[in-house]
Amino acid sequence: MKPIIVAAALAVVFVALPHTVYPVFATTVLCFALFACAFNLLVGYSGLLSFGHAAYFGTSAYVTAHVAKEWGLGVEISILAGLLASTLLGAAIGAVCVRKHGLAFSMTTLASAQLLYFVFLKAPFTGGENGIQAVPRGQALGLLDLGNDMNMYYFCLVVTGAAFWVIYRVVESPYGEVLRAIQDNEPRAVALGYNVTLHKWMAFVISAAFSGLAGSLKAITLQFATLTDVHWAQSGHVILMTLIGGIGTLLGPIFGAALIVTIENFLAGTGAWVTIITGVIFVLCVLGFKRGILGELMNMQLFRKRTADRAARSRQI
Amino acid sequence: MISKSTLAGAVSATVFVSGMGAASADSIRIGVLSDMSSMYASTSGMGSVEAVRMAAEEFGNEINGMPIEVVYADMQNKADIGSSIARRWLDSEDVDVIIDIPNSAVALAVQEVIRTRPEKLLLVTSAGTSDLSNSACAANSIQWTFDTYSQAAGLTRALADGGLKSWYYLTVDYAFGLAMERDSKGVLSGVDGSVTDGVTFPFNTADYASYLLSARRAKPQVLAFATGGSDTINSIKQAREFGLAQDGTVFAAFSLTEGNVTAIGMDAAEGAMTLTPFFWNRNVETTAFSETFKLRFGSYPSFVQAGTFSAARSYFEAVRATGTTDAGKLVEALRGMAINDVFSSNGKVREDGLMVHDMYLVAVKSPSEVTGADDIFKLEQVVAGDDAFRPLSASECPLVGK
């Protein structure tokens, strides 16, 4: 499928979406889709499973909420402040974690995230269990009133669309190729002369930055930042979304995020069944759809680009 | 890709269609936003839904010809989900009143949402942050059962009036514990001859040895537990093991539920005191209500579930009296009503949105006093609402005095 067709189809769906479903729900889907895509950059394309990504999502949410509410600096500066905070945090934590491999890497990321959770629990500016509430939405570029849910959605769509395009370009670039090479066989990449640690660190920083962007957008959309955003369950949440959608596919995380957020919101009326249903889907994906739901679909013969090539080659012979 | 957009389209179409079918302006829709799969599932959860259903049945499930519809949702103790569901309920699903909300962050978030929708009502019967009726108060929101101030200050005042003036605080070191310690010390500062000391510990501590040893050295009259949940359970259990009760020290817990006591064990918890808005076997009426609740739900109601029943009942009564679901008129009606039911005695809704009612100073029964299963608390003293809750003169609510 040519990328431009996919992009056009996605654009149509997302532009029409807030007219069919509740706009704030659609905006939340966008935020978590961005979070999942950022996480996928690390786990799907670099092979680094981080258990502590909530740290960047939550830090950015708190910084954005604080700057927007207490300093009153407007939506653009608040989002940039949150983005800066999560990028710097990602750079610092990444520098420590990226030197480790496999399980040690995952555990160090989890430990850093938990450390940050307890810092936020105690820090006065976060409001502890109450969280930072009543974050103003403000006006985008002084023109668009973001208090209107539709405007908020389209603003978010533009930002996440741009972010997703950047992630796409990173993945399809020579740098992305090197990341995949490192994921496939790290010793060979080292032997070829690549600075593996630097490449992994850069992937970590980019992933942390976009996770932070997702957190900032969420803080402005829902108008609060709470401990839920830095809790380890949020790290698990993003792993769940990415895994179900399809690790290592570009669109899988978007699908996974949409599915999980939809289940949580619209099946909440079933009471405690929500978590059971989510769990069952997760188990099915781990057992049956190892590439994630979207990953498996794309792997099927119908969508294989190589089918046509194979037919062409067999004719030649 | 095709599959994703088809799925998204199918889901959204289904939701849209189902939403259209159910939306109706001539029914009274009450939404129970609770936690049904996490830490508040037993004190709130489906029990709160059952409580609202019982209240609706008292009115024959309809008021002035309009049917009562009870909807509920599990927000999994997550603020994002809770806030999204509340917004959707209020904006596109015609829910007139939201009730329960066990998580303080979610309650505050929903209160911000409802502030800009003045015809909708919020009845917080589960969350305890005092900000809801203080600095963040809203004209169309009522905090019905308790807040952290009443738990701390009410208990302190009751015990200090009884002559217990030397207090040692075991405080969990974040906003929740620190707020309760502060409010308790605020009461003691007005008491002659009071002595306070204390120590803070990190959230979710497992070993309280060092903290309890310093408490033991202080030999206070009251050992106050400014803690919650598993911290309360573990600290009280260990305090008993370290022999702190042997010196005659009274254990005063600012937050202690029947569930906590069961986990601590009656032997270890015996004599511990707390302030509670309701306990199931207080008198004949509460016992009858609780037995009915237990038949339907399977366990006795927590004070949150009883409070939810009371709030729903009062809401329906106000709707019947005013003939409208507009929050402005309902709050006015509720403020004029005396709230006397199985949960609340001498209850009244104040202008800051707090429902002030009698609280009960209770002690955990010793194993020899227990008459049956689930018989946990015995009443020591009734504390009038005005002595337990924050006085209006000290309120930071901008609505007071207008």
Side-chain angles (χ1 to χ4, degrees):
Chain A
M1 286 246 131
K2 290 183 78 82
I4 196 77
I5 298 176
V6 173
L10 274 181
V12 167
V13 169
F14 278 111
V15 166
L17 195 61
H19 298 283
T20 50
V21 296
Y22 183 56
V24 175
F25 161 72
T27 322
T28 317
V29 168
L30 283 181
C31 296
F32 281 106
L34 177 59
F35 188 22
C37 287
F39 180 74
N40 185 39
L41 182 66
L42 208 58
V43 70
Y45 292 104
S46 318
L48 300 168
L49 178 58
S50 157
F51 280 137
H53 250 55
Y56 317 110
F57 184 78
T59 301
S60 185
Y62 273 125
V63 170
T64 302
H66 184 79
V67 170
K69 183 180 181 191
E70 300 296 330
W71 296 0
L73 287 179
V75 103
E76 302 88 355
I77 298 191
S78 310
I79 292 180
L80 284 173
L83 183 59
L84 185 69
S86 63
T87 312
L88 291 175
L89 190 68
I93 294 181
V96 171
C97 298
V98 139
R99 291 167 207 284
K100 316 248 171 296
H101 293 84
L103 189 63
F105 169 79
S106 305
M107 288 296 116
T108 353
T109 52
L110 178 63
S112 340
Q114 281 301 91
L115 205 145
L116 224 62
Y117 173 79
F118 284 101
V119 166
F120 284 128
L121 179 66
K122 278 207 58 188
F125 91 94
T126 62
E129 280 188 331
N130 291 354
I132 302 180
Q133 303 283 347
V135 175
R137 281 216 188 140
Q139 292 183 316
L141 301 172
L143 296 168
L144 198 66
D145 174 30
L146 292 178
N148 177 320
D149 289 339
M150 280 296 201
N151 291 349
M152 183 73 231
Y153 173 82
Y154 286 114
F155 173 76
C156 205
L157 182 61
V158 167
V159 176
T160 47
F164 181 69
W165 183 84
V166 171
I167 293 177
Y168 167 69
R169 292 303 305 144
V170 165
V171 165
E172 294 294 323
S173 68
Y175 168 74
E177 295 269 356
V178 176
L179 277 183
R180 267 176 293 203
I182 294 172
Q183 180 186 27
D184 277 341
N185 193 329
E186 194 169 320
R188 188 176 293 171
V190 173
L192 284 168
Y194 289 109
N195 187 339
V196 160
T197 309
L198 182 67
H199 278 81
K200 289 203 286 192
W201 179 77
M202 279 167 62
F204 199 96
V205 173
I206 297 171
S207 177
F210 284 118
S211 301
L213 183 61
S216 299
L217 288 170
K218 192 220 63 124
I220 298 283
T221 307
L222 293 177
Q223 300 181 272
F224 59 76
T226 64
L227 285 174
T228 310
D229 303 329
V230 279
H231 196 252
W232 59 261
Q234 189 71 274
S235 300
H237 202 210
V238 73
I239 296 176
L240 184 73
M241 293 189 284
T242 315
L243 203 113
I244 287 179
I247 291 183
T249 64
L250 270 171
L251 296 166
I254 299 178
F255 173 76
L259 183 66
I260 295 294
V261 175
T262 305
I263 289 175
E264 279 172 352
N265 271 269
F266 290 99
L267 292 184
T270 60
W273 284 100
V274 172
T275 47
I276 295 175
I277 293 169
T278 314
V280 166
I281 295 180
F282 183 58
V283 169
L284 284 175
C285 281
V286 168
L287 291 177
F289 301 103
K290 291 204 177 62
R291 293 190 192 80
I293 294 176
L294 207 69
E296 289 293 335
L297 282 168
M298 283 170 70
N299 211 41
M300 280 161 61
Q301 291 287 23
L302 291 94
F303 296 108
R304 275 238 182 110
K305 199 171 66 166
R306 270 174 263 148
T307 314
D309 297 352
R310 202 178 293 134
R313 260 182 277 128
S314 66
R315 275 199 300 273
Q316 275 180 336
I317 297 167
Chain B
M1 302 284 271
I2 296 171
S3 50
K4 182 199 81 59
S5 53
T6 311
L7 186 69
V11 168
S12 53
T14 317
V15 162
F16 184 53
V17 165
S18 62
M20 279 192 81
S24 120
D26 40 39
S27 69
I28 299 161
R29 198 166 283 163
I30 178 165
V32 186
L33 189 63
S34 192
D35 170 22
M36 290 155 191
S37 44
S38 169
M39 44 193 282
Y40 300 113
S42 48
T43 48
S44 280
M46 288 305 291
S48 289
V49 180
E50 200 55 49
V52 173
R53 285 190 182 134
M54 280 174 73
E57 275 162 32
E58 227 185 79
F59 290 79
N61 285 319
E62 58 132 27
I63 295 177
N64 300 340
M66 290 195 293
I68 299 176
E69 277 177 56
V70 180
V71 297
Y72 60 91
D74 177 1
M75 50 111 179
Q76 295 176 53
N77 215 24
K78 290 185 185 169
D80 317 321
I81 303 176
S83 173
S84 298
I85 294 173
R87 281 174 184 265
R88 191 164 44 86
W89 271 356
L90 296 171
D91 289 343
S92 42
E93 285 179 31
D94 252 332
V95 171
D96 301 303
V97 56
I98 297 185
I99 193 169
D100 202 23
I101 317 192
N103 179 315
S104 283
V106 185
L108 283 167
V110 176
Q111 183 143 311
E112 287 309 313
V113 172
I114 223 153
R115 195 189 297 275
T116 50
R117 292 155 176 82
E119 71 283 1
K120 307 284 184 180
L121 184 65
L122 178 63
L123 296 166
V124 181
T125 57
S126 195
T129 176
S130 55
D131 285 357
L132 283 166
S133 51
N134 205 24
S135 50
C137 67
N140 52 345
S141 169
I142 302 177
Q143 195 173 10
W144 200 267
T145 44
F146 76 109
D147 66 7
T148 52
Y149 181 90
S150 68
Q151 290 302 108
L155 180 62
T156 311
R157 191 162 285 130
L159 292 178
D161 286 347
L164 295 170
K165 297 183 191 174
S166 140
W167 286 60
Y168 193 90
Y169 295 92
L170 201 61
T171 308
V172 64
D173 196 3
Y174 73 107
F176 173 66
L178 296 170
M180 292 195 295
E181 181 189 330
R182 182 197 62 220
D183 292 335
S184 174
K185 279 185 176 167
V187 169
L188 285 177
S189 63
V191 173
D192 289 333
S194 66
V195 171
T196 63
D197 197 358
V199 68
T200 57
F201 64 88
F203 182 58
N204 269 351
T205 295
D207 183 12
Y208 294 87
S210 57
Y211 313 112
L212 292 169
L213 286 172
S214 49
R216 198 151 187 205
R217 273 196 298 275
K219 288 201 187 354
Q221 289 173 320
V222 178
L223 177 58
F225 295 85
T227 58
S230 55
D231 288 329
T232 302
I233 296 169
N234 291 329
S235 55
I236 292 182
K237 210 188 289 189
Q238 288 175 31
R240 177 77 50 180
E241 284 164 19
F242 276 79
L244 270 102
Q246 288 162 11
D247 308 326
T249 308
V250 172
F251 287 9
F254 293 141
S255 165
L256 185 68
T257 65
E258 281 118 329
N260 296 151
V261 174
T262 315
I264 298 170
M266 295 292 284
D267 301 343
E270 114 173 55
M273 308 194 82
T274 190
L275 198 72
T276 183
F278 172 91
F279 62 105
W280 74 269
N281 51 356
R282 181 169 66 86
N283 61 26
V284 174
E285 288 87 23
T286 63
T287 307
F289 165 76
S290 306
E291 293 292 350
T292 315
F293 186 89
K294 184 176 179 182
L295 273 172
R296 295 168 66 125
F297 183 64
S299 57
Y300 291 117
S302 67
F303 71 77
V304 166
Q305 288 154 351
T308 306
F309 171 80
S310 164
R313 243 201 98 261
S314 307
Y315 171 78
F316 293 137
E317 222 175 274
V319 172
R320 186 167 60 184
T322 58
T324 173
T325 55
D326 174 68
K329 303 212 170 55
L330 286 173
V331 171
E332 214 181 294
L334 285 165
R335 286 199 192 147
M337 281 163 60
I339 317 278
N340 282 314
D341 54 34
V342 80
F343 168 79
S344 156
S345 303
N346 303 315
K348 56 183 189 286
V349 177
R350 274 189 348 195
E351 50 183 308
D352 56 353
L354 203 51
M355 203 284 274
V356 172
H357 51 274
D358 288 349
M359 296 287 241
Y360 306 104
L361 180 67
V362 296
V364 176
K365 285 186 172 178
S366 66
S368 56
E369 291 170 303
V370 168
T371 53
D374 300 303
D375 182 19
I376 297 192
F377 288 131
K378 64 178 175 192
L379 179 65
E380 296 286 331
Q381 187 187 329
V382 176
V383 179
D386 293 329
D387 291 333
F389 288 93
R390 188 193 309 268
L392 268 179
S393 53
S395 177
E396 286 166 23
C397 171
L399 298 168
V400 172
K402 285 232 171 102

